[in-house]
Amino acid sequence: MKNTQKKLKAKHFRYLSKEYIEDPLMYLNDFFEQETSIRYLLMDINLLINAASNAKMNSPHSHSGYNTKKLIELVELAYVILKKCNLKKLKNPLDFFKCDSDYWNYVSGECISVNDIESPEDEISRFFSHQSLGQWYEALDEIWINISDRNGEFLGNVGKEILATRELLQRLAISLHKIYENKSLPDSIANNQEEIENKESQDQTSLEQTESLKTKEEPSDDLLENEILNPKERIILPAWLSPQSYSISVLKNFFDRDDLNGWKEDIRYWYRTVITENEFWSANNENHKFSGANLLYTYSCIYSLLEMLSNKLEESPISLIDIEPSISILPECQSILIRHENKKIILYYISDEELGHPLSSLLATVNTYSQQQWDEILYDWINYALDKNRYTGDYSDYSTRIYQTIIKIIELAYLVAFSNEIDLLNQNQIPPLETGR
């Protein structure tokens, strides 16, 4: 019988890349050998659920945004395994222990079993039987949002839902680690499964048709997941936020959202809320421009810009910028004054040499940090910008340099986008830029 299952692609997921979709074991090897151990992963899951459920249990030193992103990746990877191995759904996903041995195997030490048989595939099936991929996205988004929003209610503050979510996430983590240890994916279900399921479906057709006339049925899990996997049903992002290849027109679209000075203002305020205690982006801010929603959109645009330029860098390799780790601010440059569309604009971080080679200078500046490091930095920044605490993360000693580097990237991007429309003016009468400290 013809296999009608849609092929999973990177565009179907938020974070999982093509290579990991094709080879889930590669991801598990990279994750458990380079990122973390199962012990720390289980503690991270517990801390995330605690922090989302009760703001008083949120540690100011946690990397909650980064950990949530990694957790979403693990859920996406589990979904790939579910589909690749053609695993069945379970009727009672919260029925964890079918016999005494299941219970004792579980409590004796990270052993997931069904009737004495170790079965990570059973836990993956259980995970997606409880909720679809789309519903798990919503739950994980709630974790991230409620860690930052002190007035949020994680899963409606319903204890049984919170406990089930934590248990399922931890069981999924243990199961993925078991697959990593086994160095192989679970065995696929028998080849005749599709025929069996079709026969069962035909036997139930008349009953289902009758029931559908009596009551309005809620959409099935498969239909909910199809909304995630079917591109026709996906939400269409604004053109700038959609992943795309580098071009001058895309850079111009970035500045259609805000001009250079507007971007500098947003980023400067973002930086201030990251490094300053009790100052954060909120709907209660007197300036509506600095609401949490505006920050999230600013974050999305900056993330997309850096992602596009990092991809461009891979196509056009250049030498790394050599910056000593002890340097916390950029070297001072003489400010440059330009005119564009009858407006005078100050460039604070571009040297005369970089002025003559804006594109290569732009890519070199982006390359100050790897794409993964930029991801970590932006996640940290958005968490602390929505929180009352001052940033104390891995890059806290270089917050000023990061701020200056982002401003420099925006300035160079502006030069590249409008190089044929800009006039260079007198550079000698320009005041120094305030860094916010």
Side-chain angles (χ1 to χ4, degrees), residues 117-156:
I117 301 173
E118 293 187 7
S119 178
E121 58 266 34
D122 178 75
E123 294 306 319
I124 293 175
S125 296
R126 183 190 308 282
F127 188 83
F128 290 106
S129 298
H130 180 66
Q131 291 188 144
S132 67
L133 176 61
Q135 290 168 324
W136 277 114
Y137 274 141
E138 293 176 4
L140 294 169
D141 286 344
E142 275 200 51
I143 290 176
W144 186 43
I145 292 169
N146 282 278
I147 286 172
S148 301
D149 182 357
R150 290 154 298 284
N151 297 317
E153 292 187 354
F154 177 50
L155 298 179

Side-chain angles (χ1 to χ4, degrees), residues 21 29 37 143 184 212 229 233-234 250 259 290 311 367 403:
I21 294 171
N29 289 335
S37 66
I143 290 176
S184 64
S212 66
L229 297 177
E233 300 295 332
R234 297 175 72 206
V250 172
D259 61 19
F290 300 122
N311 292 337
N367 209 28
Y403 161 71

Side-chain angles (χ1 to χ4, degrees), residues 328-375:
S328 60
I329 61 174
L330 292 181
E332 185 176 350
C333 290
Q334 182 180 6
S335 300
I336 295 173
L337 184 63
I338 62 174
R339 178 188 287 121
H340 181 230
E341 295 182 344
N342 296 321
K343 291 189 292 187
K344 293 182 180 180
I345 301 170
I346 303 172
L347 306 178
Y348 292 101
Y349 295 110
I350 300 176
S351 66
D352 290 337
E353 181 181 359
E354 291 169 328
L355 191 63
H357 305 88
L359 178 55
S360 59
S361 300
L362 172 61
L363 297 179
T365 305
V366 170
N367 209 28
T368 304
Y369 300 102
S370 68
Q371 187 168 353
Q372 179 177 336
Q373 288 174 318
W374 277 121
D375 289 351

Side-chain angles (χ1 to χ4, degrees), residues 57-76:
M57 300 180 73
N58 184 17
S59 168
H61 306 294
S62 68
H63 303 289
S64 53
Y66 181 75
N67 289 338
T68 305
K69 175 178 181 285
K70 286 298 178 181
L71 194 54
I72 293 173
E73 283 183 348
L74 288 174
V75 170
E76 291 177 337

Side-chain angles (χ1 to χ4, degrees), residues 241-309:
L241 294 180
S242 304
Q244 53 194 302
S245 301
Y246 167 86
S247 70
I248 297 296
S249 62
V250 172
L251 286 181
K252 289 184 176 181
N253 288 339
F254 178 82
F255 291 103
D256 281 345
R257 189 264 178 181
D258 209 342
D259 61 19
L260 178 58
N261 289 332
W263 277 116
K264 286 183 177 181
E265 182 182 11
D266 282 353
I267 294 166
R268 184 180 303 180
Y269 193 87
W270 188 1
Y271 165 69
R272 280 175 50 196
T273 56
V274 168
I275 67 169
T276 306
E277 194 169 0
N278 292 322
E279 184 173 9
F280 54 94
W281 291 61
S282 168
N284 296 325
N285 196 296
E286 293 180 0
N287 189 337
H288 71 278
K289 184 177 182 181
F290 300 122
S291 69
N294 192 64
L295 173 62
L296 292 173
Y297 189 70
T298 299
Y299 159 81
S300 299
C301 291
I302 298 298
Y303 178 92
S304 296
L305 176 67
L306 292 173
E307 180 183 48
M308 180 186 71
L309 294 174

Side-chain angles (χ1 to χ4, degrees), residues 9 185 209 212 258 301 344 363 387 391 399 417 427 430:
K9 300 179 181 179
L185 296 180
Q209 289 174 343
S212 66
D258 209 342
C301 291
K344 293 182 180 180
L363 297 179
D387 195 278
Y391 178 45
S399 295
Q427 303 176 25
I430 302 172

